[in-house]
Amino acid sequence: MTSVPETPVRVGVFGLLGSGNLGNDGSLEAVLGYLRTEHPEAAVDALCGGPEVVARRYGIPATRLHWYRGEYRTASRAGAIAGKGLGKLVDMFRTAAWVRQHDVVIVPGMGVLEATLPLRPWGFPYSLFLLCASGGLLGTRIALVGVGAAPIGNRPTRALVGWAARLATYRSYRDDLSRDAMRAMGVRTARDEVYPDLAFALPAPSNTPSDPPGPVCVGVMDFHGGNDDRARAEEIHRRYLDGTTRFVRTLVEQGRPVRLLTGDACDAPMVAAILDAVDSPLVTAPEAASLADLMKEMAVADAVVATRYHNLVCALKVGTPTLALSYAAKSDALMDRMGLGAYCHPAREVDVDQLLQQFRALEQQSAQLRSTLTKRNLVATRQLDDQFTALSAALFPAADHTHARREGS
């Protein structure tokens, strides 16, 4: 009897991927690694912000997330406003047509259920709602995997995010705060689990600190506060930039090499401003095109001081003592989970004297902190193994049965 070849499972990945944010792309990379290892038969493609980048870098077909190419530019002219409005209507049908082609769609990590940075409801929250609503209508399983969430003040944004989460087939979160936030929005979270951020599943280089005094990596961000800080955004930005610049200048005056790192293409002006203000050969700005590049820089550093969430993840993953310039509760939760909860400093209110004091304490405890991070990373690895096992059981039950039959034969 001739066996009929099984149709490969059609898996889509969805999000602001390939758009210049290294953390988003790192989360995608972790999920693709899982799929290629555990479900190599799956046919994978993407609906994303930067399809050319995703197709070139990860070797999967990719489609543009928005029909209107100026989606994330401010619309002031009548033509642009009309284009955006028409794009919202077109995207409704485009998203549904794409979802229909898949058995499973995975949203890989990212802070898709939060608004800790400036965000409009008719931007990504609307896109996520279209995805999850299409999945519910068309019978496609939608999985929000290891995502971040936070309380949202803006009512339209909160409504769209809440409904998107309710309509998803599977949800897991990167910290307890995220699950609590969704529960507060009325989402039933009794079966939702919490695991470490997906980027902890990426391979990491060995930690090989340089001869003392080694470099200090400073991860900077084009930070203007969050959705609720729009009225004082420029004040927050100026204070953050001034404080970070003074911190870097002090390190240089002490003879410390400093490497400025970013996590998003939009952070480049921050690097340029600090380089211009400090003007020292001890300050360099190596380019990083991926989380792997960031980890290589951080693995040879004596310490890391960083703002972006996935800059922190990279530093903690490679086991380098880390101080967080924290702009949201998610950063505090991450640091606490990895045993460095005492080393957080508010990004909105940078106090350089206090920051330097915390930095000195961090370096004094370096050996102990490195040991703590080694242990916490082992735990994170085991927990992410559990995450991927649970994901397979929820989204690929037929594959699980096939694997069980093979093991029993």
Side-chain angles (χ1 to χ4, degrees):
M1 182 176 177
T2 304
S3 61
V4 179
E6 292 185 9
T7 303
V9 178
R10 301 165 300 174
V11 180
V13 289
F14 177 94
L16 294 178
L17 310 165
S19 300
N21 184 286
L22 302 188
N24 292 359
D25 291 356
S27 299
L28 169 62
E29 187 176 343
V31 165
L32 290 178
Y34 149 72
L35 290 171
R36 287 164 177 164
T37 300
E38 299 298 327
H39 303 282
E41 75 286 354
V44 183
D45 72 307
L47 185 64
C48 59
E52 298 84 2
V53 173
V54 168
R56 182 179 69 252
R57 185 175 294 169
Y58 302 108
I60 61 174
T63 302
R64 186 173 298 279
L65 179 59
H66 300 290
W67 173 79
Y68 181 62
R69 290 178 176 264
E71 172 64 30
Y72 292 104
R73 294 196 297 267
T74 301
S76 55
R77 296 182 178 180
I81 294 172
K84 277 197 172 188
L86 178 60
K88 300 304 175 189
L89 180 62
V90 173
D91 286 344
M92 185 184 302
F93 297 99
R94 290 178 72 252
T95 302
W98 182 80
V99 168
R100 184 190 292 273
Q101 299 170 17
H102 299 83
D103 303 298
V104 174
V105 174
I106 295 175
V107 180
M110 306 177 285
V112 297
L113 303 177
E114 65 182 53
T116 52
L117 296 174
L119 181 70
R120 299 295 187 187
W122 306 115
F124 189 77
Y126 174 74
S127 300
L128 184 67
F129 171 75
L130 290 183
L131 171 77
C132 295
S134 297
L137 289 170
L138 300 171
T140 298
R141 297 184 292 276
I142 307 294
L144 310 181
V145 182
V147 298
I152 298 173
N154 180 275
R155 292 181 66 180
T157 303
R158 185 171 65 246
L160 287 167
V161 165
W163 275 110
R166 290 184 190 93
L167 291 167
T169 311
Y170 174 91
R171 295 177 299 269
S172 64
Y173 307 99
R174 63 189 180 190
D175 51 47
D176 290 316
L177 294 174
S178 296
R179 182 168 60 183
D180 292 345
M182 297 316 298
R183 184 182 299 122
M185 289 186 207
V187 178
R188 295 180 179 178
T189 61
R191 297 184 179 181
D192 299 351
E193 297 293 339
V194 173
Y195 301 99
D197 187 86
L198 289 172
F200 279 103
L202 295 173
S206 58
N207 192 300
T208 53
S210 303
D211 294 333
V216 178
C217 287
V218 178
V220 300
M221 178 179 178
D222 185 28
F223 180 60
H224 294 76
N227 250 13
D228 299 330
D229 299 315
R230 291 181 184 273
R232 51 191 293 258
E234 286 310 309
E235 174 194 343
I236 290 172
H237 177 70
R238 185 172 58 254
R239 182 163 185 171
Y240 171 77
L241 175 57
D242 290 348
T244 306
T245 301
R246 286 183 56 202
F247 177 72
V248 170
R249 183 181 291 115
T250 301
L251 292 179
V252 168
E253 289 170 351
Q254 296 171 354
R256 302 295 295 271
V258 176
R259 293 175 179 168
L260 300 177
L261 302 174
T262 64
D264 194 294
C266 71
D267 300 330
M270 288 288 297
V271 172
I274 295 173
L275 288 173
D276 184 61
V278 178
D279 191 20
S280 167
L282 287 175
V283 184
T284 56
E287 289 192 17
S290 66
L291 294 191
D293 291 342
L294 287 178
M295 284 192 272
K296 288 177 184 177
E297 294 292 339
M298 294 172 171
V300 298
D302 280 359
V304 174
V305 179
T307 307
R308 281 200 178 273
Y309 183 84
H310 280 97
N311 274 201
L312 296 174
V313 170
C314 287
L316 297 168
K317 170 71 177 176
V318 299
T320 300
T322 304
L323 199 163
L325 279 173
S326 175
Y327 68 87
K330 63 183 179 182
S331 300
D332 298 340
L334 170 65
M335 296 290 285
D336 189 60
R337 182 178 199 138
M338 297 302 289
L340 277 74
Y343 301 100
C344 295
H345 189 92
R348 286 174 177 78
E349 305 287 343
V350 177
D351 181 323
V352 178
D353 292 336
Q354 183 183 359
L355 182 61
L356 287 165
Q357 183 178 349
Q358 288 179 287
F359 180 75
R360 286 191 289 270
L362 180 82
E363 292 212 301
Q364 289 169 0
Q365 296 296 318
S366 178
Q368 179 181 338
L369 295 175
R370 288 178 184 275
S371 176
T372 296
L373 288 172
T374 297
K375 296 172 184 176
R376 298 294 174 100
N377 274 305
L378 290 173
V379 173
T381 298
R382 290 196 296 269
Q383 291 172 330
L384 282 170
D385 286 343
D386 293 341
Q387 159 72 100
F388 291 133
T389 298
L391 188 61
S392 290
L395 301 185
F396 303 96
D400 279 358
H401 297 328
T402 300
H403 293 160
R405 290 196 299 271
R406 287 173 183 167
E407 291 173 1
S409 60

